[in-house]
């Protein structure tokens, strides 16, 4: 299933997509998965202190998990609609593009980014993280990888290609020639670009790569609620989204109305030099 732009694109340049997720912030917060507790606890343990900056914080999903773990979190996001929702849950948020955001002299023990670092220039973002991190501070970026059942994925891709054949967010061919797992290839590409960006700064130790596996069951309604939050659909007209959801709904009905998704969360983490 196509979940985000093709890994061959410079994703941070697709600003119209990057800034489109707030079209329904409440749905985004309700439908998007949380981060595995094992990841949250590993980031907390690797950080030298409690002051966290959450880049691309969105509605505050990850920020609230870190807050529950005893961290103090400031979020930065380009979308004021997402920021407003996060504030409604008690997260402090400033609006801006991270590479250009003014830290006003503040520094942090950790800079984190969940499902967001591909919207940041990988080198400029790592340079900015180094500027705002305290010595020995942690930069941690991470992505979910998932691929629903073939019947569901094919229905989505075929319907999307039918209603938006020229959309820049499609990366699975409709002729059945795709091999392997395009979702994993995509997010692994994001991870490797992040690692290369960190290395290019010379400001961090060698990045570590982490992997966390977990599962979540989706009912028919839960998966159809999730789909409109994806970058492949956030910019489509409502009638086109409805066509895609109708096709996917029929596919879900054909397999019993729900499924258990196997998730892999890929992460890269690096410690700022100094101290």
């Amino acid at each position: 299933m196509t979940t985000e732009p093709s890994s061959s694109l410079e994703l941070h340049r697709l600003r119209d997509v990057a800034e489109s997720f707030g079209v329904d912030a409440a749905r985004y917060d309700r439908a998007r998965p949380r981060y595995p507790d094992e990841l949250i606890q590993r980031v907390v343990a690797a950080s030298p202190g409690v002051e966290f900056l959450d880049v691309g914080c969105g509605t505050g999903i990850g920020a609230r998990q870190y807050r529950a773990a005893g961290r103090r979190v400031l979020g930065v996001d380009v979308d004021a609609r997402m920021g407003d929702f996060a504030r409604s849950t008690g997260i402090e948020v400033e609006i801006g593009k991270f590479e250009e955001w003014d830290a006003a002299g503040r520094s942090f023990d950790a800079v984190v980014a969940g499902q967001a670092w591909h919207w940041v220039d990988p080198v400029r973002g790592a340079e900015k993280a180094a500027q705002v991190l305290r010595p020995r501070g942690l930069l941690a970026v991470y992505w979910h990888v998932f691929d629903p059942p073939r019947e569901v994925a094919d229905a989505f891709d075929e319907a999307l290609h039918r209603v938006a054949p020229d959309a820049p967010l499609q990366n699975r061919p409709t002729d059945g020639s795709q091999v392997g797992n395009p979702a994993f290839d995509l997010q692994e590409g994001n991870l490797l670009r992040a690692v290369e960006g960190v290395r290019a700064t010379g400001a961090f130790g060698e990045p570590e790569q982490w992997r966390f596996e977990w599962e979540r069951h989706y009912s028919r309604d839960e998966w159809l609620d999730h789909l409109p939050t994806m970058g492949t659909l956030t910019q489509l007209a409502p009638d086109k989204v409805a066509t895609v959801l109708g096709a996917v709904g029929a596919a879900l009905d054909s397999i019993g109305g729900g499924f258990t998704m196997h998730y892999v969360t890929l992460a890269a983490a690096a410690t700022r030099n100094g101290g």
Side-chain angles (χ1 to χ4, degrees):
M1 170 181 175
T2 305
T3 59
E4 295 291 354
S6 167
S7 60
S8 65
L9 298 175
E10 292 184 282
L11 306 185
H12 60 279
R13 299 188 186 279
L14 297 179
R15 299 315 308 169
D16 53 344
V17 181
E19 298 172 21
S20 71
F21 295 98
V23 65
D24 190 343
R27 182 200 292 267
Y28 187 101
D29 193 77
R30 177 179 68 240
R32 284 288 183 117
R34 277 47 187 163
Y35 298 98
D37 289 340
E38 187 181 0
L39 165 67
I40 298 297
Q41 293 304 321
R42 190 158 184 180
V43 171
V44 166
S47 170
V50 301
E51 301 285 349
F52 277 41
L53 180 68
D54 188 354
V55 176
C57 66
T59 59
I61 291 172
R64 295 195 299 274
Q65 291 182 262
Y66 286 117
R67 183 179 63 186
R71 307 302 97 171
R72 292 193 292 271
V73 186
L74 171 65
V76 176
D77 201 276
V78 296
D79 193 322
R81 299 164 298 182
M82 300 286 266
D84 285 344
F85 189 98
R87 291 189 192 102
S88 76
T89 71
I91 300 300
E92 182 182 355
V93 180
E94 297 181 7
I95 303 303
K97 190 175 176 182
F98 177 59
E99 300 96 316
E100 300 165 1
W101 171 71
D102 183 5
R106 292 166 292 182
S107 61
F108 302 87
D109 298 300
V111 172
V112 299
Q115 295 290 108
W117 199 252
H118 52 288
W119 303 122
V120 175
D121 182 289
V123 176
R124 291 180 61 205
E127 290 172 344
K128 185 60 172 276
Q131 292 169 11
V132 302
L133 278 169
R134 295 165 183 153
R136 310 302 299 168
L138 182 74
L139 172 61
V141 298
Y142 33 90
W143 292 267
H144 297 315
V145 177
F146 59 93
D147 206 14
R150 175 60 57 181
E151 299 90 339
V152 176
D154 286 349
F156 179 94
D157 290 329
E158 290 163 6
L160 180 62
H161 183 75
R162 189 166 66 250
V163 302
D166 298 323
L169 305 178
Q170 302 182 65
N171 66 359
R172 173 175 291 183
T174 58
D175 61 3
S177 62
Q178 177 71 54
V179 295
N181 184 334
F184 187 88
D185 293 344
L186 167 72
Q187 303 298 31
E188 187 174 53
N190 288 333
L191 185 81
L192 293 177
R193 276 189 296 276
V195 167
E196 291 167 0
V198 168
R199 287 173 176 156
T201 68
F204 293 87
E206 177 61 18
E208 298 181 13
Q209 295 185 38
W210 304 337
R211 177 187 177 108
F212 306 90
E213 299 191 31
W214 51 287
E215 292 184 340
R216 173 180 168 174
H217 181 78
Y218 284 94
S219 68
R220 182 186 194 277
D221 288 346
E222 287 171 336
W223 189 243
L224 294 183
D225 198 32
H226 178 275
L227 285 181
T229 74
M230 307 307 295
T232 43
L233 298 187
T234 52
Q235 294 185 291
L236 291 187
D239 61 324
K240 294 183 177 181
V241 174
T243 296
V244 174
L245 296 186
V248 174
L252 285 164
D253 291 340
S254 75
I255 62 170
F259 61 93
T260 297
M261 183 86 79
H262 177 74
Y263 277 93
V264 178
T265 301
L266 301 175
T271 300
R272 184 184 180 279
N273 297 330

